[in-house]
């Protein structure tokens, strides 16, 4: 067994993970070099981080397909730390940040990172991208980046005037390749665009002998030096450590969540992923690498390339390591301007119009803009904190936002709808709107709310009492949870004394209304029709408009006229699904029976010949009055001649039961009646023809009312109906409902089946 499993894993690796790892490797090398350059770190640090992120985080992480490595979102933080403490001290801060991530993963804190507003995350990434683009644009133009984004922006015109021709041409060539690469044939696009852009730029510069700046591999991967403790204020060191830990952790977890929606493998273990990223950061810092995190670009590429397991990420790290050790000298052929142009392109691409549309659709564009502006103008930490603060303020503002819509109804009543979250912050607005209602008005008040605190309840209840004391009426209907009803009864405020009780008839909203003196004699169904026009009709009108031209049901549903049976409720069906026939006892008279019944026969004929339904369902139920009348004999229906004649169609079901009358005879008869009616359906030639051809299916259901369960009733033993019918015809014909004298022995009844999942 183990040999088979090993061979299977090995084959999957060769078939899926190995090719995917090569694709990701080709993308990781240029991006890692560019991020290291933008952060002011040794270029080899980017390769170290890519190798460690792939091998360590891929091995220990909680996601099957996430690829980790240096990330552009941390370049601003790293650049500041390198400028303040030096590179080797920054490695110590990376180690400490990794230790913090490991602790957060051990204490199951990963889910907390997902509470960050996406608008803040996307705004931060956009701000970092603009900073990188502005800084590297100076390198493309032949100059040096300045200390801030504002300085880079203000000195850009002078840099353009003094730009160096060959260096600019390399940068333009790199960006051009990146732009057009996606439009080339598929077999050409097998080479990743970043790698192709650098190869074209380097080759062109070498062929034409352009005067460009070559990459310096000072601090190569083989020239390792131990990290050193930072010198300076430890408060700032701790701040940088926490910032790297939180930002890298949050990006990794958000990457996991996003990638989970793109593949069909196992879902990510977020706490394990956070701990794995922490261990990778510790190792990367020890080896002189950049901080690592799960990177969405490489992870998405990994999935699209067909990766199936973490082996792809691990192999990609191995390829990066081998490249750095064996082919690192080839990196020196890449012009710095080409690498800078690649970073400019990537930085601009972080401003995603798709993300902007999403946050705008949720009214969070202000959070996005404030975060982005704060990151650009002030700093990364300050911008993120400003975005989080604004997001919290907007969330608090939403708690105060309630709407009160009022309109006059044709019957003279005032209909008011309160929507939102009713908290103490919204009490002033609520009170103002309600007190504007004239005294003595009959008010229908709908509460379309998701929460109500004590202050809001007190305000609403006090207004209601005052309004009714002045001669008005207030009928309150809650569209969701019963906040007001339970609070008025004490259940919301004192759950230990009076636990909430669910409404017994939640599907009839008008039954909760207290009838006032003016409408006490009004028909409940009339009120229900008004309720339908006011609340339900606007919701179902689009569906009914489509169904208005033609009905196309797929089921004929034959059930009892009992008021407790609700076909749409017990079958989860909607308008246009069921062609329904209801009669006493859910009976199907046999074809050609005497006395005949054209009503049911016409429905069967229309359903099978015109509507071409796929199934015919007979649904019986517990405690059926028609079956009870059959059991009780002729005396029960002595004064009901029409009912007595109709119940003669149930004689065959009674014959099935036999002469015995056990304690559960009524339930057995109700179930066997369903089986008998399914047999009766097959006496209709059109039904039998379609069933035999496989175009029609007959289904029996049994609704246990008290248990609220629907059971599937299996068909009777073949020939049982014919035997029962022959026995009935051989016996004396019952006159006025009298039972036959001779009946066959009672056949075995199958045990009740398990309820279907509804």
């Amino acid at each position: 067994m183990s040999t088979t499993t090993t061979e299977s894993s090995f084959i999957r690796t060769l078939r899926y993970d190995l090719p995917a790892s090569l694709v990701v490797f080709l993308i990781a090398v240029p991006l890692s070099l560019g991020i290291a350059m933008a952060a002011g770190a040794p270029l080899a640090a980017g390769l170290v981080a890519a190798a460690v992120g792939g091998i360590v985080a891929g091995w220990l992480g909680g996601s099957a397909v996430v690829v980790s490595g240096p990330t552009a979102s941390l370049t601003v933080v790293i650049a500041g730390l390198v400028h303040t403490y030096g590179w080797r001290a920054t490695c110590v801060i990376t180690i400490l940040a990794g230790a913090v991530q490991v602790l957060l993963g051990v204490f199951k804190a990963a889910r907390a990172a997902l509470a960050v507003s996406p608008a803040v995350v996307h705004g931060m990434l956009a701000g970092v991208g603009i900073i990188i683009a502005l800084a590297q644009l100076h390198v493309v133009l032949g100059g040096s980046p300045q200390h801030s984004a504002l300085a880079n922006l203000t000195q850009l015109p002078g840099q353009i005037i003094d730009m160096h021709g060959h260096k600019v041409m390399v940068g333009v060539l790199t960006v051009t390749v990146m732009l057009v690469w996606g439009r080339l044939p598929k077999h050409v696009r097998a080479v990743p665009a970043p790698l192709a852009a650098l190869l074209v730029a380097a080759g062109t510069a070498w062929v034409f002998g352009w005067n460009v700046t070559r990459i310096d591999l000072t601090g190569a991967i083989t020239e390792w030096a131990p990290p050193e403790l930072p010198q300076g204020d430890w408060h700032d060191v701790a701040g940088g450590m926490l910032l790297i830990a939180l930002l890298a952790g949050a990006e990794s977890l958000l990457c996991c969540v996003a990638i989970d929606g793109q593949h069909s493998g196992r879902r990510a273990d977020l706490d394990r992923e956070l701990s794995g990223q922490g261990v990778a950061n510790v190792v990367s810092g020890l080896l002189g690498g950049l901080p690592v995190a799960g990177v969405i670009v490489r992870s998405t590429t990994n999935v699209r390339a067909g990766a199936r397991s973490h082996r792809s990420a691990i192999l990609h790290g191995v390829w990066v390591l081998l490249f750095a050790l064996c082919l690192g000298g080839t990196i020196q052929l890449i012009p710095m301007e080409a690498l800078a142009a690649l970073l400019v392109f990537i930085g601009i691409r972080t401003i995603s119009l798709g993300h902007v549309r999403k946050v705008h659709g949720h009214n969070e564009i202000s959070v996005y803009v404030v975060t982005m502006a704060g990151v650009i103008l002030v700093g990364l930490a300050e911008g993120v904190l400003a975005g989080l603060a604004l997001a919290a303020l907007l969330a608090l503002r939403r708690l105060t936002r309630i709407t009160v819509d009022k309109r006059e109804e044709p019957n003279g009543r005032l209909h008011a709808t309160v929507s939102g979250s009713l908290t103490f912050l919204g009490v002033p607005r609520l009170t103002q709107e309600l007190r504007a209602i004239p005294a003595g008005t009959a008010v229908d008040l709908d509460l379309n709310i998701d929460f109500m605190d004590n202050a809001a309840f007190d305000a609403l209840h006090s207004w209601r009492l005052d309004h009714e004391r002045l001669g008005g009426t207030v009928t309150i209907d809650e569209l969701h949870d019963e906040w007001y009803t339970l609070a008025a009864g004490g259940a919301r405020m004192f759950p230990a004394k009076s636990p909430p009780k669910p409404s017994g008839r939640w599907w009839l909203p008008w039954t909760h209304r207290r009838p006032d003196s003016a409408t006490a004699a009004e028909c409940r169904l009339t009120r229900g029709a008004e309720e339908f026009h006011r609340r339900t009709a606007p919701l179902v009108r689009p569906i009914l408009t489509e169904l208005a031209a033609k009905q196309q049901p797929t089921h004929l549903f034959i059930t009892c006229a009992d008021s407790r049976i609700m076909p749409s409720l017990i079958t989860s069906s909607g308008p246009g699904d069921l062609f329904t026939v209801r009669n006493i006892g859910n009976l199907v008279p046999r074809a050609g029976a005497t006395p005949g019944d054209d009503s049911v026969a016409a429905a069967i004929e229309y359903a099978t010949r015109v509507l071409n339904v796929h199934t015919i369902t007979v649904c019986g139920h517990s405690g059926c009055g028609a079956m009870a009348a059959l059991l009780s004999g002729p005396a029960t229906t002595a004064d009901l001649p029409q009912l007595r004649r109709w119940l003669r169609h149930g004689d065959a079901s009674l014959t099935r039961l036999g002469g015995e009358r056990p304690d559960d005879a009524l339930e057995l008869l109700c179930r066997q009646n369903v089986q008998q009616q399914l047999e009766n359906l097959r006496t209709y030639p059109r039904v039998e023809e379609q069933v035999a051809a496989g175009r029609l299916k007959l289904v029996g259901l049994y609704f246990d009312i008290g248990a609220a369960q629907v059971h599937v009733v299996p068909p009777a033993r073949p020939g049982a109906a014919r035997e029962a019918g022959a026995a009935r015809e051989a016996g004396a014909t019952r006159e006025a409902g009298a039972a036959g004298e001779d009946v066959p022995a009672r056949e075995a009844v199958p045990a009740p089946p398990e309820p279907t999942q509804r």
Side-chain angles (χ1 to χ4, degrees), residues 664-682:
D664 59 348
L666 179 58
E667 181 181 355
L668 290 175
L669 180 59
C670 292
R671 289 178 178 272
Q672 290 192 348
N673 180 59
V674 174
Q675 295 178 323
Q676 181 61 50
Q677 305 317 309
L678 293 176
E679 290 293 336
N680 290 354
L681 278 169
R682 303 192 69 159

Side-chain angles (χ1 to χ4, degrees), residues 485-743:
T485 303
L486 295 176
R492 283 284 184 201
M493 309 307 166
F494 309 103
K497 296 181 180 179
S498 180
K501 296 180 180 180
S503 170
R505 304 179 73 179
W506 49 267
W507 61 90
L508 296 179
W510 62 86
T511 61
H512 289 302
R513 297 191 180 279
R514 298 188 313 168
D516 52 48
S517 57
T519 60
E522 188 176 2
C523 176
R524 178 178 291 175
L525 295 182
T526 303
R527 293 291 305 277
E530 295 178 359
E531 198 78 21
F532 169 78
H533 293 151
R534 184 166 54 88
R535 290 176 48 189
T536 310
L539 302 177
V540 300
R541 185 172 290 114
I543 300 175
L544 294 178
T545 300
E546 294 181 7
L547 296 173
K550 183 180 181 182
Q551 66 162 332
Q552 294 179 316
T554 55
H555 311 275
L556 169 59
F557 195 81
I558 302 174
T559 189
C560 187
D562 192 295
S563 62
R564 299 166 294 179
I565 311 301
M566 298 159 288
S568 60
L569 181 66
I570 64 176
T571 60
S572 299
S573 54
D577 291 337
L578 303 181
F579 185 63
T580 305
V581 174
R582 304 189 68 157
N583 60 51
I584 295 178
N586 47 271
L587 299 177
V588 179
R590 297 172 66 86
T594 303
D597 180 83
D598 288 339
S599 176
V600 178
I604 296 173
E605 183 180 62
Y606 190 76
T608 55
R609 293 181 178 270
V610 179
L611 299 178
N612 294 318
V613 297
H614 300 156
T615 66
I616 300 179
T617 300
V618 177
C619 179
H621 65 96
S622 60
C624 180
M627 298 301 104
L630 283 174
L631 281 175
S632 300
T636 306
T637 57
D639 297 331
L640 304 169
Q642 283 80 14
L643 178 61
R644 185 170 67 250
R645 283 196 297 272
W646 170 252
L647 289 181
R648 293 179 62 181
H649 298 297
D651 284 351
S653 300
L654 189 62
T655 303
R656 279 179 176 272
L657 187 62
E660 302 178 19
R661 294 295 186 268
D663 293 338
D664 59 348
L666 179 58
E667 181 181 355
L668 290 175
L669 180 59
C670 292
R671 289 178 178 272
Q672 290 192 348
N673 180 59
V674 174
Q675 295 178 323
Q676 181 61 50
Q677 305 317 309
L678 293 176
E679 290 293 336
N680 290 354
L681 278 169
R682 303 192 69 159
T683 64
Y684 291 84
R686 180 70 173 183
V687 172
E688 178 64 23
E689 174 188 335
Q690 293 190 4
V691 170
R695 297 193 302 271
L696 183 65
K697 184 177 180 181
L698 305 184
V699 180
L701 296 180
Y702 177 78
F703 180 37
D704 188 336
I705 297 175
Q709 291 183 328
V710 179
H711 302 265
V712 175
V713 179
R717 176 173 57 85
R722 289 190 295 272
E723 295 172 5
R728 178 172 57 85
E729 293 172 2
T733 303
R734 191 171 71 171
E735 180 63 27
E741 297 176 359
D742 299 322
V743 294

Side-chain angles (χ1 to χ4, degrees), residues 323-523:
F323 174 83
L325 292 174
C326 304
L327 300 173
T330 60
I331 299 175
Q332 300 183 42
L333 300 176
I334 301 176
M336 290 283 287
E337 292 78 13
L339 209 55
L342 178 62
L343 289 173
V344 170
F345 183 84
I346 294 173
I348 295 175
R349 288 287 296 270
T350 58
I351 307 175
S352 170
L353 294 180
H355 293 156
V356 173
R357 283 193 293 267
K358 286 183 179 179
V359 297
H360 182 268
H362 291 85
N363 296 322
E364 293 181 326
I365 190 66
S366 57
V367 177
Y368 179 91
V369 172
V370 166
T371 304
M372 181 177 64
V375 169
I376 295 172
L377 300 177
V378 184
L380 183 64
E382 292 83 355
V384 170
L385 290 176
L388 291 174
L390 180 58
L393 288 175
L394 291 178
L396 184 63
R397 179 174 175 268
R398 291 189 184 101
L399 293 178
T400 68
R401 184 187 301 171
I402 64 170
T403 59
V404 182
D405 297 323
K406 294 176 287 188
R407 69 173 185 271
E408 292 284 345
E409 296 288 349
N411 58 6
R413 302 176 66 88
L414 178 69
H415 176 239
T417 302
V418 179
S419 304
S421 298
L422 283 182
T423 67
F424 66 95
L425 298 173
V427 166
R429 170 73 186 282
L430 176 66
T431 304
Q432 176 185 0
E433 293 289 344
L434 293 180
R435 293 194 181 279
I437 298 176
T441 306
V443 180
D444 290 333
L445 180 62
D446 284 351
L447 298 181
N448 186 15
I449 60 175
D450 51 28
F451 177 75
M452 177 190 292
D453 68 4
N454 188 44
F457 167 74
D458 284 342
L460 180 60
H461 194 57
S462 297
W463 168 80
R464 176 181 183 174
L465 296 178
D466 289 343
H467 189 77
E468 291 178 341
R469 180 173 52 82
L470 296 175
T473 62
V474 180
T475 303
I476 295 180
D477 188 12
E478 301 184 74
L479 305 186
H480 302 301
D481 199 0
E482 297 181 336
W483 293 96
Y484 180 85
T485 303
L486 295 176
R492 283 284 184 201
M493 309 307 166
F494 309 103
K497 296 181 180 179
S498 180
K501 296 180 180 180
S503 170
R505 304 179 73 179
W506 49 267
W507 61 90
L508 296 179
W510 62 86
T511 61
H512 289 302
R513 297 191 180 279
R514 298 188 313 168
D516 52 48
S517 57
T519 60
E522 188 176 2
C523 176

Side-chain angles (χ1 to χ4, degrees), residues 37-111:
M37 185 180 75
L43 294 183
L47 298 178
V48 171
V52 172
I55 298 172
V56 179
W59 177 36
L60 299 177
S63 174
V65 292
V66 166
V67 179
S68 300
T71 172
S73 62
L74 293 175
T75 53
V76 177
V77 178
I78 300 168
L81 293 176
V82 171
H83 178 76
T84 305
Y85 303 107
W87 170 243
R88 293 167 63 188
T90 302
C91 291
V92 173
I93 297 175
T94 300
I95 295 172
L96 296 175
V100 171
Q101 289 180 319
V102 172
L103 290 176
L104 291 175
V106 170
F107 287 103
K108 309 293 184 182
R111 289 286 175 184

